Amino acid sequence: MSESNTIHLTLRVWRQPNAATPGRFETYEATNISTEMSFLEMLDVVNDQLALNGIEPIAFDHDCREGICGACGCVVNGQAHGHLKGTTLCQLHMRHFRDGDTLVIEPFRAKAFPIIKDLVVDRSAFDQIIQAGGYISVKTGSAPEASSILVPKKNADLAMDAAACIGCGACVAACPNSSAMLFVSAKINHLGQLPQGQPERYRRAIHMIEKMDELGFGNCSNHLECEAACPKEIQFVNIGRMNRDYIIAKLFHNEEAF
Amino acid sequence: MSLLIEIFKTSVGKKFYMAISGLLLLGFLVFHLSGNSTLIFGHETFAAFVDFLAGTGPLIYFAELILALIFLSHIFLGIILTLSNWKARNVKYSVSNSRGGQTFASKTMPYTGFILLLFLIIHLLDYTITKYMSGWDGWQLAMHVSDSFKNFARLSFYIFAVIVLGVHISHGFWSLFQSIGVTHTQYTKMLQKLAKVLGVLFAIGFATIPFIAVTLAK
């Protein structure tokens, strides 16, 4: 095993005790950081030091630390999940930073994602959007025969691509308009590509989009920052497909059926 | 009708109308540029074209009314969408770094739109309204066009405005297809390139008009 290098960083971290209290940046030194650590492990080390010095540790969200759960995420030097393409913050390793770097660490900024504490934001707006229609209604109970409903390969692939969305909120954080359309379109297209998603397809588009608007997310200006920031590389064409479903739903489907 | 209002209430619906009005305005620009291009054949051809349009009577008034409504809805929607986007990002990042998704054109859409609105007002005052107020015929308007562009300030602002128009179109043209749901992994990339080409073509096309006009006056 090769010997690990260590680096020294200066962190400017957003500290905010709660939503009601104004926040500010604090500067901390991160010394002897192994380049094999993940970004979150680096924060753990800094927090240990802060605790030893009697300072409240930095609050940040995390769970699986394998890049699959969507819990972690903050903005590092102006980029959601940091600068590495297709990577969540927990999978961003310190070898991608240089000794002496200054990192500005901020929470995701959006009206619909209010700050809970420090780098932790309330992303329950996403749950509310899912509750509005991001599901299929099926009879639960005995498992159905796996091949009773055939899915064309192309649709299965497209659905799988959209289903890769982990709902981390980086699209909202990266969008200059704090728009949630990449997330919502991924969920709509994941189900809309599959036979099981068809009965509720148009109702789903209407309800999820209306909920998204109600929660205060912005509009899509086709900047494509969302696609560039998405750790799962969800494509922006999903947004176009979502727009199509919505317009078809409104113009060509009997709204009373909803 | 109530359905159309209902669509308007959502973000996707507003973008849909924004796209449709943008597409219609692009259609108008094609007509406007073609009409103005008659100057290439001299003042007489241009004047004949202007008189032909004026000769259609109620038709031209009706067309101008529809055009005004399209412009107003595009402007109104642009303002509403921009304000709600600003509201959605209530706290700005202290460090903001693009990952390469944004382009100069996409970033500046509200601002290029605003400049175009100012230009539109000045342009209408300069030509359309002056023509109506003065009761000019085609020939008088043709002379006025040639005279007006001898003014360096007006010429400079005009050239600046048509470049801004080109920038606006270079994002707006492909973006509108995405907003109405005409999207495809391959074709959208082609539309993005086509939008840039169209932006350049419109800017060059409109920018040549004053030079033709001034050359004719000599």
Side-chain angles (χ1 to χ4, degrees):
Chain A
M1 195 175 155
S2 66
E3 201 181 325
S4 81
N5 292 320
T6 55
I7 53 173
H8 175 96
L9 301 163
T10 304
L11 309 183
R12 293 195 64 227
V13 186
W14 184 260
R15 302 304 308 262
Q16 187 169 347
N18 53 56
T21 316
R24 65 183 188 286
F25 281 101
E26 292 285 354
T27 306
Y28 305 115
E29 298 300 317
T31 46
N32 293 327
I33 299 298
S34 162
T35 50
E36 286 174 10
M37 282 180 187
S38 73
F39 196 90
L40 301 187
E41 284 164 343
M42 181 274 290
L43 287 180
D44 290 337
V45 169
V46 172
N47 272 347
D48 278 349
Q49 198 58 48
L50 290 180
L52 284 174
N53 295 339
I55 301 169
E56 174 92 6
I58 304 157
F60 62 91
D61 257 331
H62 63 105
D63 192 4
C64 75
R65 299 203 176 199
E66 292 178 331
I68 55 171
C69 77
C72 70
C74 55
V75 173
V76 182
N77 286 347
Q79 295 186 325
H81 289 297
H83 62 283
L84 204 63
K85 194 171 162 51
T87 309
T88 54
L89 198 62
C90 62
Q91 289 296 299
L92 174 64
H93 287 84
M94 299 315 291
R95 56 178 168 271
H96 298 292
F97 296 95
R98 277 191 302 249
D99 189 37
D101 276 357
T102 297
L103 308 183
V104 180
I105 308 170
E106 293 176 79
F108 287 174
R109 302 280 190 197
K111 184 169 167 275
F113 286 169
I115 288 182
I116 296 173
K117 187 179 181 180
D118 297 341
L119 305 174
V120 181
V121 295
D122 180 0
R123 285 169 289 178
S124 60
F126 272 9
D127 301 330
Q128 291 184 55
I129 294 172
I130 295 294
Q131 283 161 5
Y135 51 78
I136 55 165
S137 302
V138 289
K139 186 169 79 71
T140 55
S142 55
E145 158 59 39
S147 55
S148 60
I149 301 173
L150 299 178
V151 182
K153 175 77 169 85
K154 191 169 175 258
N155 293 77
D157 286 348
L158 288 171
M160 193 60 214
D161 286 348
C165 170
I166 53 176
C168 65
C171 46
V172 176
C175 174
N177 308 336
S178 293
S179 170
M181 291 210 188
L182 194 68
F183 165 77
V184 179
S185 68
K187 299 304 170 192
I188 286 177
N189 284 296
H190 158 207
L191 300 173
Q193 291 290 343
L194 299 170
Q196 293 89 337
Q198 295 313 305
E200 291 154 307
R201 180 173 178 175
Y202 295 107
R203 177 188 336 176
R204 176 181 307 119
I206 290 175
H207 290 169
M208 290 180 79
I209 287 167
E210 284 177 355
K211 180 54 83 176
M212 168 182 80
D213 290 346
E214 184 193 312
L215 292 165
F217 290 103
N219 310 282
C220 178
S221 294
N222 299 314
H223 289 298
L224 314 189
E225 282 294 322
C226 54
E227 181 188 78
C230 178
K232 296 295 150 186
E233 301 182 304
I234 304 289
Q235 293 187 313
F236 78 89
V237 287
N238 281 301
I239 299 176
R241 292 191 194 117
M242 171 185 79
N243 293 342
R244 185 156 67 214
D245 271 9
Y246 176 80
I247 291 156
I248 291 173
K250 277 293 185 189
L251 296 182
F252 306 112
H253 282 255
N254 182 0
E255 64 180 304
E256 283 169 17
F258 305 132
Chain B
M1 193 64 191
S2 63
L3 181 64
L4 295 178
I5 294 168
E6 212 179 293
I7 293 174
F8 174 79
K9 285 181 189 161
T10 62
S11 53
V12 176
K14 284 192 200 76
K15 289 294 296 183
F16 176 72
Y17 286 130
M18 192 73 182
I20 297 290
S21 56
L23 187 62
L24 292 171
L25 288 177
L26 212 62
F28 160 71
L29 286 181
V30 172
F31 176 78
H32 190 45
L33 183 57
S34 320
N36 288 355
S37 300
T38 54
L39 261 180
I40 297 169
F41 307 105
H43 281 140
E44 295 80 3
T45 321
F46 179 78
F49 177 69
V50 174
D51 289 334
F52 163 75
L53 286 183
T56 56
L59 264 185
I60 189 71
Y61 295 127
F62 181 68
E64 282 178 344
L65 177 71
I66 298 291
L67 184 61
L69 288 176
I70 298 169
F71 263 110
L72 287 175
S73 49
H74 197 71
I75 294 161
F76 175 66
L77 281 163
I79 294 169
I80 289 187
L81 287 167
T82 304
L83 291 181
S84 88
N85 290 343
W86 288 350
K87 214 170 114 187
R89 170 64 41 82
N90 54 348
V91 181
K92 293 221 177 323
Y93 289 108
S94 71
V95 178
S96 191
N97 244 329
S98 169
R99 294 187 89 115
Q102 276 179 303
T103 59
F104 174 75
S106 82
K107 249 187 289 192
T108 55
M109 281 309 263
Y111 311 110
T112 50
F114 181 71
I115 294 169
L116 290 173
L117 172 61
L118 292 182
F119 171 72
L120 177 70
I121 295 167
I122 293 169
H123 199 62
L124 284 175
L125 287 173
D126 270 354
Y127 304 103
T128 319
I129 293 170
T130 310
K131 178 184 181 291
Y132 276 125
M133 299 288 279
S134 318
W136 285 341
D137 63 6
W139 180 257
Q140 284 165 309
L141 181 66
M143 292 295 116
H144 173 67
V145 168
S146 280
D147 278 344
S148 66
F149 282 118
K150 286 175 188 162
N151 180 327
F152 185 71
R154 181 181 281 122
L155 176 70
S156 312
F157 183 59
Y158 178 90
I159 301 292
F160 170 69
V162 295
I163 292 170
V164 169
L165 175 70
V167 173
H168 200 73
I169 290 171
S170 75
H171 178 72
F173 180 73
W174 82 262
S175 184
L176 77 88
F177 287 98
Q178 171 84 350
S179 297
I180 59 174
V182 179
T183 186
H184 189 279
T185 42
Q186 296 307 314
Y187 299 143
T188 301
K189 284 186 188 125
M190 275 166 54
L191 284 173
Q192 285 172 323
K193 286 187 188 124
L194 183 63
K196 289 198 177 82
V197 173
L198 276 181
V200 172
L201 285 181
F202 272 106
I204 293 176
F206 279 112
T208 50
I209 301 293
F211 294 105
I212 297 168
V214 173
T215 314
L216 281 176
K218 280 178 185 162

